[in-house]
Amino acid sequence: MLRNKRTAWTAALVVLLAVAAGVAFVGLRDGGDLEPGFVAQGSSGRPPTHEADVQLPIGTLRLSSGEPLAEIAARRVGRSGAESLEAAGDASIVPVAWTFRPTLSYDDLLGYPATFTLAVTAGGERVALGEPDVDLHQAADSGDLPGQDLIAVVAGDGDDLRVEVTYEGEKQVVTMRSGKVATGRAAALYPDGPRTYGTDPDCDARGAGEPAEIANVDAGAGSISCRIDPLTRTPYLPDLGWAREGHVWTTLTVRVTAPPTISWIPTGTSYQVRREPVTAALSGAEVARAPRGDQDDRSTWVRTWVFDSPADAPADPATDAATGLTVSAPMSAVRPQDATDGPATVPFGVDQTFTLRH
């Protein structure tokens, strides 16, 4: 399977290079000079002088560029015959390279588009570099990071070189000389990708009842528990696209477990467990995608919400903590009708407000 994936990646590169080669022929003057718009796979053979990282929802794209050149050896751009090729007029030859490193596991990347587009601008003109299609399986699991070295010819002296990276319609622009990135709606991905938050205190599935009564409840071989997965804040999700400017998508997953029946310890009577709907609220946020119950079984039910949240969540700078997550998952143990000893119902479940900690 891995070989097939590598073959697919190689094929994608071949297609990209074929397109680049077509542009290169257009960008050659009759005398052999390289016009702006020329693009070919190749390297100047010199170390890069500028580097910058661009955060995408699927990972980190590291860009590098070299000092602009007036000429380059023909063999370095796949040409034979002439020993060297020169940039036409006041144009410049610019080495550009990229490598991609996923920041999510392969399972988490499922459903994400794997393509992005690259272009460079200089001297007021734009040169398209192509649309790589990253093999996310290979990149995430094999450690073999995809990348490419390119030679582009741009207008002017190349000192104002910028690289455009576009993912699902959202463009980020990197000024290579300074390394600064105009992030647009991708700002929440910086500095290191989507942020995750844990909850404090721990979720307590027995906390919504009277302690004295809950102490007399026995789950037997089952368990009464609650877990809140780390909350993820990201500006992009495959099914919702990019969040609006100044907002992010916050994903919350709650897992509550209780057996179908529990025992009232003083009498040994078996009580039926009744579940009520699980609800959640995040202060300052609106529900963008409501939860479904398609992961439920007889003992555990799972609910996942996506909230439309402000990107600048209220936080305590000293602790990096934000408050305002409330989760309710009420349950009750119901005594059978033919039993007379013990309480008719024993309420329990989740009814908590949490602090989020990064």
Side-chain angles (χ1 to χ4, degrees):
M1 183 65 179
L2 187 57
R3 179 174 297 176
N4 290 340
K5 292 289 186 180
R6 186 174 287 110
T7 301
W9 168 244
T10 303
L13 279 181
V14 169
V15 171
L16 176 61
L17 296 180
V19 172
V23 176
F25 282 125
V26 173
L28 275 173
R29 277 187 177 177
D30 293 340
D33 290 347
L34 302 177
E35 294 279 2
F38 174 95
V39 178
Q41 185 180 26
S43 167
S44 67
R46 303 177 185 180
T49 54
H50 305 291
E51 290 185 335
D53 287 344
V54 176
Q55 300 294 343
L56 302 178
I58 54 176
T60 302
L61 190 68
R62 170 151 291 185
L63 300 171
S64 61
S65 64
E67 285 296 336
L69 306 171
E71 63 178 13
I72 191 169
R75 59 182 174 80
R76 291 196 170 277
V77 291
R79 296 281 175 247
S80 58
E83 291 186 0
S84 64
L85 297 170
E86 296 183 354
D90 62 353
S92 299
I93 301 168
V94 180
V96 179
W98 63 268
T99 57
F100 172 81
R101 176 177 56 83
T103 51
L104 300 174
S105 69
Y106 176 62
D107 288 343
D108 291 333
L109 286 169
L110 291 174
Y112 280 77
T115 59
F116 51 88
T117 60
L118 294 172
V120 292
T121 63
E125 296 186 16
R126 183 178 185 273
V127 179
L129 299 182
E131 186 175 295
D133 188 351
V134 176
D135 187 331
L136 295 178
H137 184 279
Q138 180 179 342
D141 292 346
S142 72
D144 185 10
L145 303 184
Q148 193 175 28
D149 293 307
L150 297 168
I151 296 294
V153 178
V154 299
D157 59 15
D159 284 345
D160 60 344
L161 182 73
R162 291 177 172 83
V163 179
E164 298 177 355
V165 182
T166 304
Y167 181 84
E168 288 298 289
E170 184 66 16
K171 180 171 65 177
Q172 300 185 63
V173 181
V174 185
T175 302
M176 293 304 299
R177 185 162 292 277
S178 66
K180 293 182 178 179
V181 184
T183 59
R185 288 186 293 175
L189 293 173
Y190 291 80
D192 301 312
R195 301 192 74 180
T196 58
Y197 289 82
T199 53
D200 186 36
D202 293 337
C203 189
D204 182 6
R206 296 172 178 257
E210 291 294 330
E213 289 187 340
I214 296 299
N216 284 315
V217 166
D218 180 17
S223 67
I224 299 174
S225 62
C226 170
R227 189 181 86 197
I228 298 178
D229 290 356
L231 283 77
T232 301
R233 288 165 54 84
T234 179
Y236 178 87
L237 288 173
D239 57 335
L240 295 175
W242 289 96
R244 56 193 168 124
E245 193 80 32
H247 283 242
V248 294
W249 306 124
T250 299
T251 302
L252 166 70
T253 297
V254 179
R255 305 171 190 270
V256 181
T257 299
T261 60
I262 58 178
S263 296
W264 178 250
I265 295 175
T267 63
T269 303
S270 179
Y271 278 50
Q272 193 78 22
V273 173
R274 179 181 298 162
R275 305 173 179 178
E276 301 296 333
V278 183
T279 61
L282 193 61
S283 61
E286 299 177 355
V287 175
R289 188 177 68 205
R292 301 184 298 268
D294 52 6
Q295 299 182 64
D296 295 352
D297 58 31
R298 294 183 70 243
S299 298
T300 301
W301 63 110
V302 182
R303 297 292 182 271
T304 298
W305 291 260
V306 176
F307 294 94
D308 180 354
S309 312
D312 297 327
D316 179 350
T319 61
D320 198 16
T323 59
L325 171 64
T326 302
V327 175
S328 176
M331 294 178 281
S332 58
V334 181
R335 188 187 66 197
Q337 293 182 352
D338 58 357
T340 57
D341 294 333
T345 61
V346 180
F348 62 102
V350 182
D351 186 14
Q352 286 181 266
T353 297
F354 298 91
T355 296
L356 307 183
R357 295 193 179 276
H358 182 60

